[in-house]
Amino acid sequence: MITYRDDKTVDLDALALLRRACDFYEVPAALLAQQVDGARYVATAHDGDKLVGFARAISDGATNGYVSSVMVDPAYRRRGVARTMLSRMMDDKPSIRWVLHARKGATALYEALGFTPAPDMMW
């Protein structure tokens, strides 16, 4: 059974393994700790003691939020894990306009979750 948490208590070694499993680039442990600590919102998914999902968002808590580093262990995909983590971070914050930077291969997932391409993007 998958359980979820909404805090920054994340095993950084487990997060590094999850990043590798999800083909995210490797970062030094100190930088990984800073990414977690600097996030306003963090959601994690666990199967027992195993970290199977992670998402974070940087935000002012009022009007703007940036979703980043959404990852789900490949063996746990298509079970609603990403949807649940994002919902836990975003649903009770209706005044925040969420922005997401995603890989091209993940766009179908995010469109299914209600994200739309930004027509006013600047380069």
Side-chain angles (χ1 to χ4, degrees):
M1 176 180 168
I2 298 174
T3 58
Y4 296 88
R5 291 198 340 232
D6 303 316
D7 61 51
K8 296 180 185 182
T9 307
V10 179
D11 178 328
L12 297 178
D13 291 331
L15 182 54
L17 289 173
L18 180 62
R19 288 179 64 88
R20 242 179 265 126
C22 296
D23 294 325
F24 275 67
Y25 61 91
E26 290 193 38
V27 297
L31 182 58
L32 197 56
Q34 190 174 11
Q35 287 179 338
V36 173
D37 189 51
R40 174 88 179 230
Y41 308 109
V42 173
T44 55
H46 305 263
D47 185 359
D49 291 335
K50 181 178 181 180
L51 179 68
V52 299
F54 175 84
R56 67 184 176 110
I58 301 161
S59 176
D60 60 15
T63 57
N64 296 301
Y66 174 78
V67 176
S68 181
S69 305
V70 179
M71 58 193 83
V72 176
D73 184 301
Y76 290 82
R77 292 181 183 164
R78 306 207 53 82
R79 298 186 194 184
V81 175
R83 178 182 303 271
T84 300
M85 290 188 303
L86 290 171
S87 174
R88 293 173 72 94
M89 285 195 314
M90 298 167 49
D91 284 358
D92 63 344
K93 301 162 188 73
S95 66
I96 295 178
R97 179 177 178 193
W98 295 98
V99 176
L100 166 74
H101 182 138
R103 297 180 201 180
K104 285 187 178 192
T107 55
L109 164 69
Y110 294 112
E111 287 175 352
L113 296 175
F115 285 91
T116 57
D120 57 349
M121 267 181 60
M122 294 178 56
W123 299 100

